Amino acid sequence: MNILVINSGSSSIKYKLFSFPKESLVDKGEIEKIGEEKSKIKNHTQGIDEIINKILVKSKINSLKDITAVGHRVVHGGEKFKQPHLINKTVIKQIQKCSKLAPLHNPANLAGINYCLKSFPTNFQVAVFDTAFHQTVSEEGYIYPIPYKYYRKYKIRKYGFHGTSHQFIAQKAALTLKKPLTKLKLITAHLGNGCSMTAIDKGKSIATSMGFTPLEGLMMGTRCGDVDVAAIFNIMKKEKLAIDQMDKILNKKSGFLGVSGVSNDLRNVSKAAKDGNRRAKLAVDIFISRLKKYIGAYLFYLGGADAVCFTGGIGENNPDMVKSIKSQIKRIFSKTKVLIIPTDEELMIAKLTYKLFKKLRRGK
Ligand code: ADP
């Protein structure tokens, strides 16, 4: 059966079409710059129409009826969604509710979902949430030590993101290590433009570095990661900054870009560092130092780990950095392996969609 995966973001829609149970990729593509002035694609509706045209022309699919299921990436599932869900009116309402927690992402995800429900003959369409994998983290791991009423009133807590990627990497690691996931302790580091680390015990997320939003945790391309909030108030007072301005600085102007002043892209920052740029070197050093801090903490949480797994643009393409961390891990934790595993979030979404399809079929 064919499963289409749609990742509908604010200004782009990525898609991959898979054939199951082989898990083979049939087609993939991306529509970019949606809604930008010079773009001919003005909105998500036109974006999905363009994808449908591409699929029908490029792949061997003759009719949309040949697509049995559609899997959709949804960024925020709040506390409601601990698993992938078959989409119906109630689920759509609940995803809308979660938009309060992810105002930039969930509405774009929903725009894709709503139009796909109209455009594809199949009503087997599944929402897969970035946050769901981390819903196994226990209360002491997700409640922030601030007045509890804010959790009660606004659901302010750690949620964690990149869940599908961490789950995918954990499953791949189990195959590589030739052990069942239920017997493994793993640390997974997804290092792309956004970076997050997760401690996984017996296949379940027990701690993760991103928080209420993706801003918490590791240093990233343009995000700061962990910072003393009081330092932020101090800057806001001194520079008379509004909340939105500071939000933009922390999300878009910090991390590699902010420290180095060179770029958000590690390739450019590393090159500048090699050419003697002191701040570029400092940015790389801070990044590595914080990676080590989280690896150390998670090794302790887990009571040792079978493997530390790296993925994402940085994790997959930076053998020198991974090698240096590997040699340090080896010195202290000789039994812990270090693995580089390419991630495929779309394949994970397709696998989860297929699993739900089989489960519901059996139930009928
Ligand atoms: P996204 O999170 O947007 O999917 P990616 O996973 O593609 O991003 O990761 C982007 C990061 O990966 C950038 O910092 C980039 O510098 C880094 N990266 C990609 N390829 C390489 C490479 N060959 N060498 C070093 N870093 C790389």
Side-chain angles (χ1 to χ4, degrees):
M1 68 183 256
N2 292 309
I3 299 179
L4 177 67
V5 174
I6 296 282
N7 182 350
S8 171
S10 53
S11 64
S12 73
I13 309 176
K14 288 185 200 150
Y15 73 93
K16 279 191 186 174
L17 181 63
F18 296 96
S19 169
F20 269 72
K22 273 190 183 162
E23 299 183 7
S24 53
L25 184 67
V26 179
D27 188 17
K28 68 170 184 173
E30 182 171 6
I31 309 287
E32 289 176 301
K33 299 184 180 164
I34 297 172
E36 282 184 18
E37 215 175 294
K38 286 183 186 154
S39 169
K40 69 177 179 34
I41 310 285
K42 297 294 170 213
N43 51 41
H44 287 73
T45 308
Q46 288 179 6
I48 302 274
D49 279 339
E50 184 73 13
I51 287 174
I52 291 174
N53 285 337
K54 281 187 184 215
I55 290 173
L56 292 176
V57 173
K58 259 172 69 190
S59 57
K60 284 182 192 136
I61 287 190
N62 298 320
S63 149
L64 293 185
K65 284 193 188 131
D66 295 339
I67 295 174
T68 313
V70 184
H72 295 270
R73 176 189 179 213
V74 180
V75 167
H76 219 305
E79 290 187 324
K80 181 77 201 165
F81 294 106
K82 301 180 195 310
Q83 304 283 345
H85 243 276
L86 189 62
I87 298 173
N88 55 31
K89 278 190 186 145
T90 319
V91 169
I92 288 183
K93 272 201 190 129
Q94 281 158 347
I95 297 174
Q96 265 160 354
K97 271 194 184 166
C98 296
S99 292
K100 273 191 214 149
L101 300 168
L104 297 179
H105 294 99
N106 275 27
N109 303 153
L110 271 173
I113 290 175
N114 282 324
Y115 195 61
C116 284
L117 286 172
K118 282 192 199 133
S119 312
F120 288 89
T122 178
N123 56 10
F124 200 93
Q125 303 208 23
V126 174
V128 177
F129 302 88
D130 275 17
T131 47
F133 183 60
H134 303 300
Q135 281 295 305
T136 45
V137 171
S138 64
E139 221 180 356
E140 79 259 21
Y142 70 71
I143 293 290
Y144 289 119
I146 55 175
Y148 192 78
K149 64 179 177 188
Y150 299 121
Y151 168 62
R152 263 214 211 103
K153 271 169 112 173
Y154 310 118
K155 293 280 173 244
I156 304 288
R157 50 159 282 180
K158 194 190 243 298
Y159 289 97
F161 298 87
H162 286 152
T164 19
S165 178
H166 289 291
Q167 190 176 9
F168 181 80
I169 298 305
Q171 290 186 0
K172 282 272 170 188
L175 289 176
T176 310
L177 298 169
K178 297 191 173 67
K179 272 191 181 173
L181 202 47
T182 47
K183 296 226 162 96
L184 288 173
K185 290 172 189 284
L186 299 167
I187 295 172
T188 50
H190 178 113
L191 310 178
N193 268 313
C195 299
S196 68
M197 199 180 291
T198 298
I200 302 173
D201 193 9
K202 302 187 184 93
K204 293 203 161 80
S205 169
I206 62 155
T208 193
S209 62
M210 283 179 168
F212 176 65
T213 74
L215 193 58
E216 192 184 341
L218 300 171
M219 174 177 154
M220 313 180 203
T222 59
R223 293 190 196 117
C224 55
D226 300 335
V227 182
D228 180 352
V229 233
I232 305 306
F233 299 147
N234 195 290
I235 296 169
M236 289 175 79
K237 267 192 205 152
K238 285 190 171 128
E239 302 254 327
K240 298 192 174 47
L241 294 173
I243 292 171
D244 286 354
Q245 289 171 304
M246 196 67 226
D247 184 88
K248 194 170 169 199
I249 292 169
L250 299 175
N251 273 295
K252 305 252 185 234
K253 308 247 179 243
S254 298
F256 279 124
L257 176 64
V259 178
S260 72
V262 173
S263 168
N264 66 309
D265 191 308
L266 180 58
R267 279 168 290 200
N268 303 333
V269 180
S270 299
K271 186 173 177 305
K274 275 190 193 129
D275 293 344
N277 183 319
R278 196 192 73 83
R279 270 174 44 197
K281 181 174 181 310
L282 178 63
V284 176
D285 290 346
I286 299 172
F287 181 75
I288 295 176
S289 157
R290 287 171 170 234
L291 267 182
K292 285 190 209 158
K293 185 175 97 172
Y294 270 93
I295 293 173
Y298 288 179
L299 279 168
F300 195 75
Y301 273 5
L302 289 162
D306 296 281
V308 178
C309 314
F310 289 92
T311 195
I314 297 175
E316 291 168 34
N317 298 300
N318 228 310
D320 287 348
M321 191 169 79
V322 173
K323 215 196 269 170
S324 116
I325 291 178
K326 183 173 179 171
S327 68
Q328 295 190 41
I329 292 176
K330 285 276 160 225
R331 237 180 289 139
I332 314 169
F333 307 95
S334 58
K335 287 192 182 138
T336 302
K337 296 207 162 60
V338 174
L339 307 173
I340 296 176
I341 301 173
T343 194
D344 191 338
E345 285 162 282
E346 286 81 15
L347 177 55
M348 190 69 227
I349 292 172
K351 281 162 78 130
L352 291 165
T353 301
Y354 183 63
K355 195 173 160 197
L356 189 62
F357 181 83
K358 283 206 311 192
K359 186 177 154 194
L360 296 182
R361 266 287 153 88
R362 246 182 278 126
K364 270 186 184 165

